[in-house]
């Protein structure tokens, strides 16, 4: 009877140790999978944060005997004009352009020549192709000024 108890005890202890070891191995495997998922999520969040946190700005310079002053800033998928002033124009619009080329640029919206603070939504727009914010009078076909973005 003693031999049976000892054999049974040894068997139970061995089984417990083996099952415990198997469980630890599976947990490590799951933990590794979780860590990989977390790392992927962090990398994706970094990419999103780069887009959101990436800020470009520049100061307006007047052109063609017209006056434009203030600052243009692109951040968080928005274009913000601050301390903005412009010569009065009949049909002023704000564009994102590459080197001031309005024809190949992207029209954003009408701009108010005497409103110092203005914000425009750039959601779903690829702003990486453009390096300037341009104020353009569509009616007169004249660039009033632009801000190089850095």
């Amino acid at each position: 009877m003693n031999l049976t108890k000892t054999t049974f005890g040894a068997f139970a202890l061995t089984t417990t140790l083996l099952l415990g070891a198997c469980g630890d191995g599976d947990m490590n495997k799951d933990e590794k999978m979780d860590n990989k998922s977390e790392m992927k999520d962090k990398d994706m969040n970094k990419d999103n944060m780069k887009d959101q946190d990436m800020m470009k700005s520049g100061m307006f310079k007047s052109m063609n005997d017209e006056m434009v002053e203030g600052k243009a800033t692109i951040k968080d998928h928005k274009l913000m004009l601050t301390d903005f002033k412009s010569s009065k124009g009949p049909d002023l619009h704000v564009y994102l352009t590459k080197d001031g080329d309005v024809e190949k640029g992207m029209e954003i919206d009408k701009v108010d020549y005497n409103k110092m603070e203005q914000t425009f939504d750039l959601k779903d727009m690829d702003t990486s192709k453009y390096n300037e914010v341009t104020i353009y009078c569509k009616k007169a076909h004249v660039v009033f000024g632009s801000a190089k973005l850095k």
Side-chain angles (χ1 to χ4, degrees):
M1 184 91 171
N2 248 353
L3 184 61
T4 307
K5 284 184 181 178
T6 306
T7 305
F8 180 73
F11 176 75
L13 181 63
T14 304
T15 304
T16 302
L17 290 174
L18 286 174
L19 289 175
C22 289
D24 286 344
D26 288 346
M27 281 182 61
N28 287 337
K29 188 176 183 180
D30 289 342
E31 286 173 7
K32 287 178 185 176
M33 292 298 287
D34 287 343
N35 287 341
K36 283 183 182 178
S37 295
E38 285 175 19
M39 289 174 67
K40 275 186 184 178
D41 290 344
K42 285 180 184 177
D43 288 344
M44 289 176 68
N45 286 339
K46 279 184 190 176
D47 290 343
N48 289 341
M49 291 301 286
K50 283 180 193 173
D51 289 344
Q52 290 177 359
D53 289 341
M54 188 177 78
M55 183 176 95
K56 297 180 187 179
S57 66
M59 300 301 291
F60 280 104
K61 293 191 179 179
S62 300
M63 303 170 91
N64 300 313
D65 296 325
E66 300 295 343
M67 185 273 297
V68 177
E69 296 177 353
K71 183 176 183 178
T73 304
I74 294 178
K75 184 176 180 184
D76 297 331
H77 306 290
K78 294 190 183 315
L79 167 62
M80 294 160 282
L81 305 182
T82 52
D83 298 324
F84 181 78
K85 286 193 249 179
S86 173
S87 299
K88 188 174 182 179
D91 195 21
L92 292 180
H93 288 77
V94 62
Y95 282 76
L96 290 179
T97 61
K98 175 78 173 169
D99 301 324
D101 186 352
V102 175
E103 288 183 24
K104 292 181 183 174
M106 181 187 331
E107 181 179 345
I108 304 302
D109 205 348
K110 282 190 167 195
V111 67
D112 192 344
Y113 74 93
N114 64 354
K115 188 175 178 187
M116 292 185 73
E117 309 291 323
Q118 300 179 57
T119 302
F120 304 93
D121 189 16
L122 301 178
K123 193 173 182 179
D124 301 325
M125 294 183 194
D126 181 8
T127 60
S128 67
K129 298 187 260 182
Y130 306 103
N131 64 355
E132 288 188 27
V133 175
T134 303
I135 305 301
Y136 179 71
C137 180
K138 286 175 82 171
K139 193 170 192 175
H141 303 285
V142 175
V143 172
F144 276 36
S146 66
K148 288 201 182 282
L149 300 171
K150 295 179 184 176

